Amino acid sequence: MNPLITETEHSVLGIEAFDVCVDYNGTVALYDATLKLKTGSICGLVGMNGAGKTTFFKALMGFVRPSRGIIRINGSAVFKAQRDQAVAYVPQNEGIDCSFPVSVWDVVMMGRYGSMNFLRVSRESDRKAVWHALERVELLELRSRPIGSLSGGQRKRAFLARAIAQRASVLLLDEPFSGVDVRTEKLMSELFLQFRKEGRTILISTHDLNHVRDFCDLVVLINKTVLAYGKTSEIFTQENLTMTFGGMPPNALFGPTPSEGFLNE
Amino acid sequence: MNDLLASFAPISWLVEPLSHEFMRRALMVSALVGGVCGLLSCYMTLKGWALMGDAVSHAVMPGVVVAYALGLPFSIGAFVFGVGSVALIGFVKQKSRIKEDTVIGLVFTGFFALGLVLVSKIKSNIDLMHILFGSPLGISYSDVNQTLIISALVVNVLVLFRRDLMLYCFDPTHARSIGINTGILHYMLLSMLSLAAVAGLQTVGIILVVAMLITPGATAYLLTDRFDRMTYLAVLSSAVSSIIGVYISYWSDIETGGSIVLVQTVIFLFAFLFAPRYGILKSQGSIHY
Ligand SMILES: Nc1ncnc2c1ncn2[C@@H]1O[C@H](COP(=O)(O)OP(=O)(O)OP(=O)(O)O)[C@@H](O)[C@H]1O
Ligand SMILES: [Mg+2]
């Protein structure tokens, strides 16, 4: 049932992008982006506003058509991966109508639709998955509230719960930490670490460089293209970050933190 | 005993019209069409397609005229032009920098004008008034049959795909990301819109059919936070107002389409004022509380 168990881990890459180029009506947003992500790793996607992080996610999901390049999820084409429920995506802005008459439970249940039959009748296992996902983001008490009555951070958690309920082996999370409180932040990072233990592949974009240091095995620095990519300890250097953020010294980006020495080469 | 019942006005008000064959037919068709349009109206209001409903319902006009002239079932002509208008709207929007609402207004008025011109030019026994304002009291057997088939089709599609369509209205991005083909759902919903507009013009006519496609949904939307309950309420309010509208039309000898839509509007006003959570009287009360 769970695709991540049946995959032969060493041979299949969770996410593979090769020479991907995306333009919006002729304006290039991303070019020659190449990324190979082993299953069972957490990768941070770091770059300035407008660097093309969201565009990269959209390209990986097939929502924008790359003008060039190849994208594979778990070794198969994106559309197949989506149909197999192998990939879950939590966008930066959900862009939904918040007065839509659905409850939090209904929204999380939408994560299960792809695994249900044609009529989308929920089974016991679907309800269990939804319950479990809500439990993991601590939204169980609010499950029968209309989605529009949640706060911004709670809503973010609800959409994360939907992705969890989907039980995908590849998770694409566009700025999951923006606008959530410290408690949720901690809860979410623990969740991601657990996902890694379960062998899932996670790509997270974030503006908080501490998160990258704390739990990302790999990091991708982008500014319209992949500037550097590799193990966090090797890539997350002063020099690389200065380059990524257009000459801004990383000390200013990080602020004074106890683990700052980690950054120096 | 019968005398006693007859002397009780409300009952005879309800029962007497049923002795006429044409009234039984009108009530049945109106309730059915009301229910079908009511079900679809949930998707229209949630998707924000009120203007699209207006466009499609007007655009079917030339199709009806052409079909009558060629001796085809009117619903086929209407459907072709309904879907055609939608395709044209999509095409013009994609190929030009004009905004969508402008394109919609442009295309449907063009189609409607074409319909009017065709009616005046093609010599036939089409009664313009019947197309424009509907005539459930004078509906023919073949029209009843067409309406039954259309209704069955629309209801089946909307019920079978209700979860997918709901998800498509709520969050098309997520629908795509779990491998659902949203393009098909988009055109499915538009086709159902064309068909429902064809059914609706039987009872209330082209000009008012858009009311059938949005008012029940809007009313139900004020009454609940649950999608399923919203569909039940919309179907119920729409079917009931169609029946009441036909009765009022019979007894006061007023135009049927107008009467049906007016009843719907009154029900909407009640919801607007008194809805438990979203009525304006309720929210004022809670501010002072
Ligand atoms: N729909 C669009 N049409 C045209 N240009 C776009 C569109 N979406 C994004 N862009 C442009 O593409 C570039 C990359 O945008 P993108 O949203 O991927 O940035 P980002 O890295 O996610 O930024 P942020 O940190 O602000 O979320 C930007 O210059 C942006 O202006
Ligand atoms: Mg972004």
Side-chain angles (χ1 to χ4, degrees):
Chain A
M1 179 189 154
N2 209 333
L4 55 103
I5 293 166
T6 56
E7 302 285 45
T8 42
E9 227 177 89
H10 49 276
S11 66
V12 176
L13 295 166
I15 301 171
E16 190 182 2
F18 182 73
D19 260 1
V20 172
C21 302
V22 177
D23 64 281
Y24 293 108
N25 305 315
T27 314
V28 174
L30 198 65
Y31 64 91
D32 298 343
T34 296
L35 173 69
K36 287 191 172 68
L37 209 54
K38 269 209 328 254
T39 48
S41 49
I42 302 181
C43 178
L45 184 58
V46 174
M48 299 193 288
N49 287 144
K53 300 182 293 297
T54 300
T55 304
F56 197 26
F57 280 115
K58 286 184 177 163
L60 288 175
M61 288 302 284
F63 296 156
V64 292
R65 185 189 284 272
S67 51
R68 203 156 68 91
I70 299 166
I71 289 164
R72 301 194 147 261
I73 305 270
N74 280 348
S76 53
V78 181
F79 300 107
K80 186 178 179 307
Q82 287 171 341
R83 217 163 299 139
D84 297 344
Q85 308 306 308
V87 55
Y89 171 52
V90 182
Q92 184 175 3
N93 303 305
E94 294 87 17
I96 53 138
D97 166 16
C98 278
S99 54
F100 206 92
V102 286
S103 66
V104 175
W105 177 274
D106 297 336
V107 169
V108 178
M109 188 58 91
M110 287 169 190
R112 302 294 311 157
Y113 277 16
S115 324
M116 294 179 192
N117 65 9
F118 156 81
L119 289 173
R120 318 288 180 205
V121 181
S122 62
R123 296 152 299 186
E124 186 56 36
S125 61
D126 297 316
R127 289 188 285 274
K128 273 213 181 96
V130 171
W131 182 277
H132 187 61
L134 283 167
E135 213 166 31
R136 278 180 122 168
V137 300
E138 297 187 340
L139 272 185
L140 213 43
E141 289 91 81
L142 303 182
R143 65 183 179 277
S144 40
R145 290 259 296 266
I147 188 73
S149 72
L150 297 192
S151 76
Q154 290 168 337
R155 203 172 298 152
K156 262 201 120 80
R157 271 147 63 189
F159 284 99
L160 180 65
R162 181 170 72 180
I164 296 171
Q166 210 179 321
R167 298 203 166 138
S169 59
V170 175
L171 289 155
L172 305 177
L173 311 170
D174 198 354
E175 303 202 13
F177 294 107
S178 74
V180 302
D181 59 27
V182 272
R183 183 186 155 81
T184 309
E185 226 176 272
K186 189 154 176 301
L187 188 127
M188 277 161 63
S189 24
E190 276 161 13
L191 205 61
F192 298 153
L193 287 171
Q194 202 178 334
F195 285 162
R196 176 176 58 189
K197 231 188 281 164
E198 294 165 11
R200 306 190 204 212
T201 316
I202 312 175
L203 184 63
I204 301 178
S205 77
T206 177
H207 287 295
D208 190 332
L209 304 183
N210 291 315
H211 287 139
V212 179
R213 258 182 331 192
D214 290 347
F215 62 79
C216 293
D217 322 298
L218 301 163
V219 65
V220 190
L221 302 176
I222 72 165
N223 190 4
K224 305 228 178 246
T225 186
V226 174
L227 300 173
Y229 162 64
K231 286 214 176 76
T232 308
S233 54
E234 291 163 16
I235 298 298
F236 230 44
T237 61
Q238 200 133 81
E239 203 183 329
N240 278 340
L241 285 168
T242 309
M243 174 173 72
T244 309
F245 289 94
M248 189 89 159
N251 284 347
L253 298 164
F254 274 85
T257 52
S259 50
E260 210 169 41
F262 176 74
L263 279 172
N264 302 327
E265 302 108 287
Chain B
M1 187 70 191
N2 267 341
D3 289 356
L4 201 71
L5 276 180
S7 67
F8 186 50
I11 288 189
S12 70
W13 192 87
L14 286 174
V15 171
E16 195 272 330
L18 295 178
S19 61
H20 306 290
E21 161 69 16
F22 78 92
M23 269 302 280
R24 289 200 294 273
R25 217 187 301 166
L27 284 166
M28 194 268 292
V29 170
S30 303
L32 182 66
V33 167
V36 171
C37 290
L39 183 56
L40 188 68
S41 71
C42 295
Y43 298 97
M44 295 295 119
T45 41
L46 290 175
K47 189 80 189 146
W49 272 5
L51 193 57
M52 197 63 115
D54 204 14
V56 169
S57 56
H58 280 79
V60 301
M61 168 93 176
V64 174
V65 180
V66 169
Y68 267 117
L70 297 177
L72 294 167
F74 74 93
S75 52
I76 292 179
F79 181 69
V80 168
F81 275 75
V83 172
S85 71
V86 168
L88 197 61
I89 288 168
F91 180 78
V92 174
K93 191 189 140 206
Q94 210 173 33
K95 297 288 171 191
S96 74
R97 59 193 295 256
I98 305 171
K99 287 203 183 73
E100 182 169 32
D101 60 337
T102 312
V103 178
I104 292 175
L106 222 141
V107 168
F108 92 70
T109 47
F111 271 71
F112 191 59
L114 176 67
L116 289 177
V117 169
L118 285 177
V119 168
S120 65
K121 208 62 201 163
I122 294 174
K123 289 278 162 279
S124 72
N125 56 353
I126 313 168
D127 187 347
L128 183 60
M129 288 302 151
H130 279 188
I131 302 179
L132 291 184
F133 301 110
S135 59
L137 303 190
I139 192 167
S140 73
Y141 265 120
S142 84
D143 288 356
V144 171
N145 285 337
Q146 286 182 51
T147 310
L148 284 177
I149 294 168
I150 292 173
S151 302
L153 189 66
V154 174
V155 168
N156 273 308
V157 169
L158 291 183
V159 169
L160 287 178
F161 289 94
R162 69 183 188 287
R163 296 262 164 254
D164 291 43
L165 288 169
M166 189 260 280
L167 175 58
Y168 170 62
C169 293
F170 175 64
D171 192 350
T173 308
H174 178 67
R176 283 178 72 180
S177 76
I178 59 173
I180 292 175
N181 189 333
T182 50
I184 289 181
L185 291 178
H186 181 84
Y187 283 100
M188 182 189 289
L189 205 50
L190 286 171
S191 308
M192 294 308 112
L193 170 59
S194 299
L195 286 174
V198 177
L201 71 86
Q202 288 291 317
T203 60
V204 298
I206 281 177
I207 298 193
L208 286 179
V209 75
V210 65
M212 305 278 288
L213 295 171
I214 53 180
T215 311
T219 305
Y221 183 57
L222 290 177
L223 294 173
T224 179
D225 280 322
R226 285 292 150 89
F227 180 78
D228 286 344
R229 221 171 289 164
M230 179 177 167
T231 55
Y232 305 144
L233 288 169
V235 170
L236 190 72
S237 82
S238 184
V240 166
S241 46
S242 296
I243 291 173
I244 297 177
V246 171
Y247 269 108
I248 293 178
S249 155
Y250 174 84
W251 284 110
S252 356
D253 194 23
I254 54 173
E255 214 276 312
T256 318
S259 150
I260 291 174
V261 172
L262 212 50
V263 173
Q264 271 183 356
T265 312
V266 168
I267 295 181
F268 171 79
L269 280 176
F270 268 95
F272 178 65
L273 292 174
F274 305 114
R277 196 172 306 176
Y278 301 110
I280 53 170
L281 295 181
K282 167 69 192 176
S283 34
Q284 266 173 7
S286 53
I287 288 166
H288 295 303
Y289 184 66

